[in-house]
Amino acid sequence: MKRLSLIDPKGLDRLLLRNPAGYRSGFWASFVLDDLVHHVQSTEERIIRIRRNEMKGQTLRVDLDLTPVGFSKPMLRFSIALWSYNKPTIIIRHTTKNIGDMEVEDMKVYNFMDFDLGGPRSYKDDRGQYDPDSGTMMIWDDNPLYVGMSSIKQPDSWEISPPAKLKVEDARRDLRRNLKMGPKDIASALQWNLGNLGSGEEVSVELLMSAGISKEKVLEGLSKGKNLFGKKLR
């Protein structure tokens, strides 16, 4: 995702997200295969091949085949379906499928987002807060603008951190679970633990992002988005 904005009631374009080319945001994954830890990011070009990229109706569908370092054929397929139509809510389903002949262990999927509300002139006043009861991540700044994320299955971990410090490594594959940060330049992340995947098995993560001019509007958008999942992403 390169850019995300909201048209406010006055007709002004309110910037929510603008990523430079190659920025490490979006879905990441971490897993164990053949006793080795592997990591993959959404912008990785060396080990990911685009299998499908098509618009069908109002839904964008992308399939990515992953060939881990040291392997000669694809072992995982990431399928992403995204829907948004004249609504300030994006509905995303991320499916991980084991297409190899070996078990994939301890599969973890993450979503990293650096929203930079208001653009570079004001991104240092961003605030983030995670509600562990509802599983909702909320980002806002000094302007009347909020963006929120939640999922059908609540995240197993989360983190709010300066962008350069938000990362997954062999020694730390779980996010830090801090509940708030700011005002400062921040990025946010959610994590889902998917367990082991045998050959042919698949599992999905269902994520929503919503924007609005108040926290209440965002929560309303997230609630409506959950009801739309089965209708829009079949």
Side-chain angles (χ1 to χ4, degrees):
M1 183 181 296
K2 297 296 184 184
R3 191 181 193 281
L4 177 66
S5 65
L6 171 72
I7 306 299
D8 71 13
K10 296 181 180 180
L12 298 176
D13 188 1
R14 299 295 187 181
L15 181 66
L16 300 175
L17 169 72
R18 182 169 58 202
N19 285 335
Y23 189 77
R24 298 179 179 182
S25 68
F27 280 100
W28 283 45
S30 174
F31 55 93
V32 177
L33 184 61
D34 199 21
D35 296 326
L36 293 176
V37 176
H38 297 262
H39 303 292
V40 59
Q41 61 199 38
S42 60
T43 55
E44 177 67 67
E45 297 180 354
R46 185 167 56 99
I47 58 176
I48 287 181
R49 180 176 67 88
I50 298 176
R51 179 180 178 87
R52 176 173 68 161
N53 182 3
E54 67 179 21
M55 195 77 183
K56 188 175 182 180
Q58 298 171 4
T59 303
L60 173 66
R61 299 182 185 275
V62 179
D63 291 344
L64 307 171
D65 282 0
L66 168 66
T67 303
V69 175
F71 289 78
S72 59
K73 60 181 181 179
M75 301 298 291
L76 288 170
R77 176 168 298 153
F78 300 130
S79 299
I80 303 167
L82 184 150
W83 182 90
S84 181
Y85 184 71
N86 289 339
K87 296 180 182 293
T89 301
I90 297 176
I91 303 174
I92 306 171
R93 176 178 288 135
H94 183 283
T95 301
T96 303
K97 182 176 182 178
N98 183 347
I99 59 173
D101 53 8
M102 299 174 60
E103 184 178 51
V104 175
E105 300 177 282
D106 198 19
M107 185 78 201
K108 301 176 187 287
V109 169
Y110 317 84
N111 187 66
F112 288 8
M113 297 300 293
D114 183 3
F115 284 103
D116 282 351
L117 298 185
R121 293 184 179 179
S122 63
Y123 62 76
K124 292 184 179 180
D125 64 353
D126 291 350
R127 301 172 186 263
Q129 185 168 357
Y130 182 79
D131 181 351
D133 294 326
S134 65
T136 301
M137 179 73 76
M138 194 73 66
I139 309 295
W140 72 98
D141 67 1
D142 291 337
N143 296 299
L145 183 63
Y146 285 76
V147 62
M149 294 186 293
S150 67
S151 57
I152 303 300
K153 173 188 179 299
Q154 283 198 197
D156 295 290
S157 291
W158 55 87
E159 187 170 338
I160 309 164
S161 176
K165 295 183 178 181
L166 188 56
K167 61 183 67 176
V168 175
E169 303 173 303
D170 288 2
R172 188 177 74 85
R173 298 178 59 221
D174 291 317
L175 302 177
R176 297 183 186 276
R177 292 185 146 208
N178 62 318
L179 295 179
K180 60 183 178 179
M181 182 171 286
K184 64 190 307 181
D185 184 15
I186 60 171
S188 59
L190 303 176
Q191 171 187 330
W192 300 268
N193 300 335
L194 306 184
N196 297 348
L197 290 176
S199 180
E201 292 185 337
E202 66 179 38
V203 62
S204 295
V205 168
E206 298 170 319
L207 174 69
L208 301 106
M209 289 189 289
S210 185
I213 57 173
S214 69
K215 181 178 179 180
E216 291 72 25
K217 286 290 186 182
V218 170
L219 293 175
E220 180 183 350
L222 293 176
S223 178
K224 290 181 177 179
K226 290 182 179 180
N227 295 327
L228 288 172
F229 251 111
K231 299 178 182 178
K232 300 303 180 182
L233 297 181
R234 293 176 179 172

